[in-house]
């Protein structure tokens, strides 16, 4: 327990000391919100079924934060810890790998959560965004989405021979996803072909699920998204556990 | 009592046989050194004993347990400084100590450890900002944080300056003084000679010698040398008649007389005085572990 706690605190401190990671996790989504808020405001739009741009942006940007942590921070950190012999050094102690993993996941989850809370608070205060869902459902949907993307991130770290490759592949995957999934630009304004293609990327399902739960959809309306995200979580975790090398 | 028993240890990497069926024991309370050229298999051996690498053959017993099966339990009781390891660049020294202390059931007061290793004023410094020698000292401090019964030091003084190296030797003697067993590897024969109760020399994955440093030096039958520098000319023939002399060599002004026995030096000095020629820089050179090492493992460079 002591080990878990200390590792998690170290994880959070290291995250905050890495300016680029901290910026993209905590400040990027709120900045985008303010920027688009200045352009579009939050007036009701027919295309969004009477909701404003800010109303739909907040739940969508949750996906932006999740993909940043999952596909960029997690693989870079994990592969770097492996390449630098940090994991090797841990292995020479009685620390169990499960505790390391649990602390790492928790630390990343806390950072994601801080980013999301900041986004929601700014949305509420600055644009009085609508919320007609159930907080618990939103929280659970967020947690499922985050874990599924962390699992993808660990899988990427396990597959990448070096931290540099993990970083490059993570960014190559993350940036297009951000723009065609609806996490940055509302899915409604994207061309039909792009929307079709977007169905094949997991982030689209995160955005659909978060927007749905945010405005009160029942879980039964999102069985496809839940199935895809649980599937991503389970398959990636099993593969990552099987393929991961400590050095 | 043997705290480490290695029986027929074998480890291969693909086609390469890194450790080729070696056997030895380490006794409780001794400083046991392993020396050998680059790639000899030292790190492979030490990390198999620590349970960090899986042997392909042989039996290892560490503190009565199997490192592969009882790794977690053993890691509570041993400390390891690895040849290759790292910490996050942005982790502070004090944070690293606190973090590692939390991995163990029992740990010592880490601030006094930092002080012992001359790192007290670096407590708030980032790991990434430390010099190579400071990192090395931090890793050795981390290896001692659980007050281990047995310490493994893989190249403990590589990268240290002469002051820090000597300070490290004192620390190792100190660790031994507390009754702990030390297993170290080194490339510095002086270090092995100074610190180790027994030394094993390995080459290409095989043991070529195992004994106390003094016995190894004796077994080699290496000669002492008496050397001096001459300004004038001198007939070297009389030196060959000094008891124990094996060989007389002259390179320019420098004369080296190889031989054995107590009378070697006094015999040489007597002849010099009788001849009444000016000489300087007279000194004797004892055979060292380095001579043994080079005799056993050859002079050509390894990969
Ligand atoms: N993980 C590995 N994969 C493949 N080959 C390895 C690995 N580790 C070591 N080797 C090879 O095994 C041999 C023994 O290596 P080892 O690191 O045990 O030597 P060493 O005696 O510690 O050398 P040094 O003095 O340079 O540290 C070397 O030829 C090395 O290239
Ligand atoms: Mg080595």
């Amino acid at each position: 327990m002591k080990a878990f706690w200390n590792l998690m605190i170290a994880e959070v401190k290291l995250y905050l000391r890495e300016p680029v990671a901290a910026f993209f996790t905590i400040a990027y989504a709120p900045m985008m919100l303010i920027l688009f808020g200045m352009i579009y405001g939050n007036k009701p739009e027919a295309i969004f079924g009477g909701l404003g741009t800010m109303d739909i942006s907040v739940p969508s940007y949750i996906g932006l934060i999740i993909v940043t942590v999952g596909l960029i921070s997690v693989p870079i950190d994990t592969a770097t810890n492996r390449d630098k012999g940090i994991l090797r050094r841990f292995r020479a102690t009685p620390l169990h790998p499960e505790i390391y993993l649990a602390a790492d996941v928790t630390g990343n989850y806390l950072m994601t959560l801080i980013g999301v809370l900041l986004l929601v608070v700014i949305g509420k205060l600055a644009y009085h965004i609508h919320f007609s869902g159930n907080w618990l459902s939103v929280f659970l949907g967020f947690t499922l989405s985050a874990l599924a993307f962390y699992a993808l991130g660990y899988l990427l770290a396990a597959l990448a021979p070096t931290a540099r490759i993990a970083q490059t592949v993570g960014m190559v995957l993350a940036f297009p996803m951000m723009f065609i999934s609806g996490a940055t630009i509302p899915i409604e304004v994207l061309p039909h072909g792009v929307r079709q293609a977007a169905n094949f990327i997991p982030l689209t399902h995160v955005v659909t699920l978060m927007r749905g739960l945010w405005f009160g959809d029942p879980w039964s309306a999102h069985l496809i998204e839940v199935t895809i995200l649980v599937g991503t979580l389970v398959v990636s975790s099993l593969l990552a556990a099987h393929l991961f090398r400590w050095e | 009592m043997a705290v480490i028993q290695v029986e027929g240890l074998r480890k291969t990497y693909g086609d390469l046989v890194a450790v080729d069926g070696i056997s030895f024991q380490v006794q409780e309370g001794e400083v046991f050194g392993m020396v050998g050229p680059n790639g000899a298999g030292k790190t492979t051996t030490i990390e198999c004993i620590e349970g960090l690498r899986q042997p392909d053959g042989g039996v290892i017993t560490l503190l009565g347990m199997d490192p592969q099966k009882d790794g977690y339990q053993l890691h509570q009781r041993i400390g390891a400084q690895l040849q290759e390891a790292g910490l996050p660049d942005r982790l502070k020294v004090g944070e690293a100590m606190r973090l590692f202390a939390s991995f163990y059931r029992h740990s010592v007061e880490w601030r006094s450890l930092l002080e012992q290793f001359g790192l007290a004023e670096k407590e708030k410094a980032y790991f990434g900002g430390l010099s190579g020698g400071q990192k090395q000292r931090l890793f050795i401090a981390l290896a001692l944080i659980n007050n281990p019964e047995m310490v493994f030091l893989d190249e403990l003084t590589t990268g240290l300056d002469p002051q820090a190296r000597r300070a490290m030797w004192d620390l190792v003697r100190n660790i031994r003084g507390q009754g702990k067993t030390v297993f170290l590897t080194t490339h510095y024969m002086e270090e092995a000679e100074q610190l180790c109760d027994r030394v094993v020399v390995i080459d290409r994955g095989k043991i070529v010698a195992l004994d106390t440093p003094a016995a190894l030096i004796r077994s080699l039958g290496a000669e002492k040398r008496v050397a001096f520098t001459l300004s004038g000319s001198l007939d070297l023939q009389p030196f060959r008649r000094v008891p124990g002399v094996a060989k007389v060599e002259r390179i320019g002004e420098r004369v080296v007389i190889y031989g054995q026995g107590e009378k070697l030096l006094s015999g040489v000095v007597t002849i010099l005085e009788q001849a009444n020629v000016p000489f300087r820089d007279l000194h004797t050179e004892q055979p060292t572990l380095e001579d043994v090492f080079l005799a056993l493992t050859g002079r050509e460079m390894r990969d």
Side-chain angles (χ1 to χ4, degrees):
Chain A
M1 202 59 218
K2 203 170 42 140
F4 169 82
W5 189 248
N6 275 276
L7 265 173
M8 194 201 68
I9 290 177
E11 167 77 19
V12 169
K13 278 184 182 166
L14 289 170
Y15 210 120
L16 293 171
R17 286 174 193 162
E18 184 65 63
V20 178
F23 170 80
F24 276 102
T25 307
I26 295 174
Y28 184 62
M31 271 176 49
M32 298 276 284
L33 190 73
I34 291 166
L35 182 72
F36 281 109
M38 289 191 299
I39 301 171
Y40 299 109
N42 198 24
K43 54 190 182 306
E45 308 273 358
I47 188 174
F48 302 137
L51 293 164
T53 306
M54 294 296 98
D55 291 331
I56 60 141
S57 289
V58 169
S60 307
Y61 288 0
I62 292 175
L64 199 59
I65 301 172
I66 287 174
V67 74
T68 307
V69 177
L71 289 192
I72 300 178
S73 294
V74 168
I76 294 179
D77 281 0
T78 308
T80 303
N81 285 354
R82 179 189 64 211
D83 289 7
K84 287 197 163 172
I86 297 165
L87 300 182
R88 256 175 79 68
R89 187 60 192 83
F90 284 163
R91 267 193 68 208
T93 73
L95 176 70
H96 286 257
E98 306 84 65
I99 301 208
Y100 169 80
L101 186 67
D104 201 56
V105 168
T106 311
N108 282 304
Y109 183 72
L110 279 181
M111 293 307 301
T112 318
L113 197 60
I114 291 172
V116 168
L117 287 178
L118 200 65
L119 175 74
V120 171
V121 167
I122 290 176
K124 272 269 172 218
L125 293 181
Y127 303 105
H128 310 287
I129 51 164
H130 286 94
F131 175 76
S132 44
N134 170 311
W135 282 117
L136 184 64
S137 288
V138 170
F139 182 75
L140 289 177
F142 157 72
T143 304
L144 169 64
S145 306
L147 292 180
F149 269 78
Y150 302 161
L152 273 177
Y154 289 115
L155 176 59
L156 185 54
L159 289 171
T162 66
R164 254 208 116 66
I165 293 176
Q167 169 173 13
T168 310
V169 175
M171 289 193 173
V172 164
L173 291 176
F175 283 113
M177 275 197 196
M178 289 176 182
F179 290 102
I180 66 170
S181 63
T184 310
I185 304 159
I187 196 104
E188 286 84 349
V189 307
L190 293 173
H192 182 73
V194 174
R195 290 174 65 172
Q196 289 286 304
N199 272 322
F200 293 96
I201 61 170
L203 189 59
T204 311
H205 303 287
V206 171
V207 174
T208 310
L209 180 66
M210 290 321 296
R211 276 181 59 174
L213 295 175
W214 191 266
F215 297 111
D217 283 357
W219 283 91
S220 56
H222 293 286
L223 290 181
I224 294 174
E225 286 76 25
V226 171
T227 308
I228 288 172
L229 291 172
V230 170
T232 305
L233 173 60
V234 172
V235 172
S236 306
S237 303
L238 290 177
L239 278 178
H242 182 67
L243 295 170
F244 194 74
R245 292 153 294 122
W246 286 83
E247 49 190 88
Chain B
M1 196 187 85
V3 284
I4 299 176
Q5 286 166 297
V6 175
E7 253 330 297
L9 174 64
R10 196 182 146 82
K11 173 82 187 170
T12 56
Y13 301 107
D15 288 339
L16 180 98
V17 183
V19 176
D20 195 1
I22 65 173
S23 306
F24 60 88
Q25 301 198 338
V26 177
Q27 304 300 321
E28 184 171 8
E30 75 173 332
V31 176
F32 186 86
M34 180 173 261
V35 301
N38 287 139
K42 302 180 295 297
T43 299
T44 303
T45 304
I46 205 171
E47 295 197 353
C48 283
I49 299 173
E50 290 163 346
L52 299 180
R53 299 192 195 196
Q54 190 162 12
D56 296 309
V59 181
I60 299 175
T61 314
L62 171 59
L63 298 170
M65 290 189 265
D66 174 353
Q68 283 300 317
K69 287 215 298 279
D70 312 313
Y72 295 115
Q73 234 175 310
L74 278 171
H75 290 158
Q76 289 282 0
R77 298 169 61 188
I78 66 168
Q81 174 246 321
L82 310 179
Q83 185 178 355
E84 262 164 54
L87 288 173
D89 280 342
R90 286 192 169 89
L91 192 66
K92 292 178 184 170
V93 169
E95 291 169 349
M97 297 296 284
R98 192 175 304 121
L99 180 63
F100 275 72
S102 76
F103 295 164
Y104 297 92
R105 272 199 294 272
H106 305 288
S107 58
V108 297
E109 221 280 289
W110 57 264
R111 267 176 231 273
S112 62
L113 257 186
L114 280 188
E115 223 150 86
Q116 246 186 74
F117 283 86
L119 290 168
E121 67 280 21
K122 293 282 173 194
E123 188 190 323
K124 299 243 150 45
Y126 286 136
F127 174 78
L130 298 182
S131 75
Q134 290 165 342
K135 286 181 181 167
Q136 181 81 347
R137 279 183 274 154
L138 175 59
F139 279 120
I140 296 173
L142 288 174
L144 296 175
I145 203 158
N146 56 329
N147 192 21
E149 294 161 49
M150 158 106 235
V151 188
F152 293 88
L153 303 168
D154 194 0
E155 302 206 357
L156 76 158
T157 58
T158 298
L160 296 187
D161 60 27
Q163 289 87 343
R165 174 166 305 149
R166 271 164 187 74
M168 201 58 75
W169 292 355
D170 287 338
L171 286 162
V172 172
R173 292 190 186 107
N174 197 2
I175 296 170
R176 183 181 187 278
Q178 297 166 25
K180 299 184 200 304
T181 311
V182 180
F183 186 145
L184 60 84
T185 77
T186 180
H187 283 131
Y188 300 100
M189 294 307 129
E190 193 196 349
E191 184 165 290
E193 214 175 319
Q194 290 274 337
L195 292 180
C196 298
D197 297 301
R198 290 191 307 142
V199 173
V200 61
V201 184
I202 69 167
D203 193 14
R204 298 177 217 272
K206 288 199 160 81
I207 293 183
V208 293
L210 194 174
D211 216 323
T212 63
L216 285 173
I217 294 166
R218 249 184 286 122
S219 73
L220 184 66
E223 290 138 346
K224 300 199 253 214
R225 296 177 285 258
V226 178
F228 53 87
T229 306
L230 271 180
S231 315
S233 68
L234 177 67
D235 178 17
L236 295 180
Q237 209 47 45
F239 290 113
R240 300 212 157 85
R241 290 194 287 273
V242 171
V245 166
K247 191 168 68 168
V248 179
E249 226 177 53
R250 178 167 191 160
I251 307 144
E253 296 196 321
R254 190 149 177 80
V255 178
V256 184
I257 294 156
Y258 297 82
Q260 276 167 328
E262 304 302 312
K263 294 269 185 293
L264 189 67
L265 178 62
S266 59
V268 169
V269 173
T270 310
I271 292 170
L272 281 171
E273 304 238 289
Q274 281 167 358
N276 199 18
V277 291
F279 64 89
R280 56 201 153 80
D281 297 340
L282 174 76
H283 65 276
T284 61
E285 290 162 4
Q286 296 292 334
T288 63
L289 200 56
E290 184 128 351
D291 298 316
V292 177
F293 183 77
L294 291 172
L296 289 172
T297 60
R299 288 180 182 271
E300 83 277 18
M301 196 150 81
R302 302 297 161 80
D303 37 31

